Structures are given as structure tokens and as C-alpha cells.
Amino acid sequence: MTLRVDLIPSPPYPQPVLVVDVFFGSLVGALLSAGAREVWVVKSVRAARLLAEGGALLLGEQEGVPPEGFHGGLSLQALPGLQVEGKTCVLLAPPLAESLERMPLETGLAYFRNAKAVVAQALERKIDTVVAAIQGRLEPSLANTVAAGFIAKRLYQALGKVGGLAGGRAPGHGPAEILPGSARVAFPVRDG
């Protein structure tokens, strides 16, 4: 098995992956922790309004301000004041929506606070690819890149405990190999 880390998404992916988004992932996690029934992630105000027609909470910002009719912005500090328990939340998050729409169904959303649970879920579901979510215009995000590396390292360590690490480094290469022509890193891991 090879653990793959894409610092810039390069779909298509044949199976579910872990998409790492520090900011929007933390928002989704905070909403779910506060009791939201579900969180929909969308990339346009129009899509958000259509999904919210049944009474969902609209959250998000355009140019730093919630669009007209939205219940709140993207501040983690403001979330405790919102009554989200049992409600559907629609989150205007274009970069995350763009990242997720190019991924297979059942892809996981990862960030620092859920790293331990995500690694356990990845082991259980045999997910072997970690992808740093993009920010605007397909640019990599430093925070997402760092978090993807952190989560990949934890997953690599967990895989090593389960099946052991593959032996035989090529001269001059560490255990991680930078794949030519891409922003990917591959970590070989021997199956148990």
C-alpha cells in the first residue's frame, strides 16, 4: 500500500480520500459539534438560498460580509450565539465546495481538531490518499498543506503500527519519495 499526499488536488481519484481544509473544516466541525443535524457546503449564494428554502440556516460571506438574508458569517466566535441544534446549516464555502465536488462520494473532511478520528476512519475504510483543499483559483493553502502533512504523518505512523513500513530505501532518498512532475508525496507502507 502507498500512502499518497496531494498538496494540489489532482483528480480523478478512484476511491474516497481525506480532503484537508483547516478553516472550513473547523466551521463544519463546530456546527456539527453544536448539534447541527447536517451541514451542506455550497459554492454560490444562489445554491445556498435554494438549499435553505426549507428553513435551513444560511452561513457564509462574500467580500467579508454575510449576503443579504444570511443568518451569520464565518466567524468561529459567533457560532456559539447561533441556535443550530437540530437544524440544517448551509455553508457558503466556495473553495471547499470546489474541492469536494471533484472528489468521490464518501470522501472525508479533515482538519487539526478531528485528526485522531479521521486517521481511525481512514484506517477502517482503507483510505490511502490525503488531499489538501484548494483556496481561490486552485491555489494551494499553506494551512491546508501543513495540516495535510500532519494528518498524513499520523496516518503513516498508524499504518506502520498495523503493517510495518516497507524496507529498502533507494540511495539518497528518505522514506518519502517526491513523485516527479507533481505536488505529491508517496509513502510506501507494507500491508500486514
Side-chain angles (χ1 to χ4, degrees):
M1 168 190 239
T2 298
L3 175 59
R4 175 175 158 176
V5 183
D6 284 359
L7 304 179
I8 298 172
S10 58
Y13 296 102
Q15 64 186 35
V17 301
L18 295 179
V19 172
V20 180
D21 192 308
V22 173
F23 180 68
F24 292 117
S26 296
L27 281 168
V28 170
L31 289 166
L32 292 171
S33 292
R37 184 168 38 106
E38 58 189 355
V39 179
W40 290 87
V41 179
V42 298
K43 64 180 181 178
S44 73
V45 172
R46 182 172 185 258
R49 288 189 172 125
L50 286 171
L51 278 171
E53 283 181 351
L57 287 177
L58 285 165
L59 304 169
E61 297 175 357
Q62 276 190 325
E63 299 179 18
V65 179
E68 186 177 327
F70 274 52
H71 299 96
L74 298 176
S75 169
L76 286 168
Q77 291 179 330
L79 287 182
L82 292 172
Q83 300 299 317
V84 300
E85 193 167 333
K87 295 183 181 174
T88 296
C89 296
V90 180
L91 181 63
L92 177 62
L96 178 57
E98 287 178 29
S99 291
L100 290 174
E101 76 181 359
R102 301 175 343 162
M103 303 299 161
L105 293 175
E106 299 184 22
T107 284
L109 180 59
Y111 50 99
F112 282 118
R113 290 200 64 163
N114 75 343
K116 188 174 182 178
V118 159
V119 167
Q121 192 67 221
L123 289 172
E124 183 180 308
R125 296 175 52 209
K126 298 187 183 338
I127 293 175
D128 62 0
T129 303
V130 179
V131 180
I134 57 168
Q135 56 188 25
R137 297 189 194 102
L138 302 178
E139 295 175 14
S141 157
L142 180 58
N144 295 344
T145 300
V146 170
F150 174 81
I151 289 167
K153 181 178 179 183
R154 294 292 182 246
L155 183 54
Y156 179 68
Q157 290 168 338
L159 285 168
K161 291 177 188 170
V162 170
L165 301 178
R169 292 184 192 167
H173 290 83
E177 174 190 357
I178 304 294
L179 301 175
S182 69
R184 276 189 274 172
V185 180
F187 296 89
V189 179
R190 185 180 68 226
D191 287 328

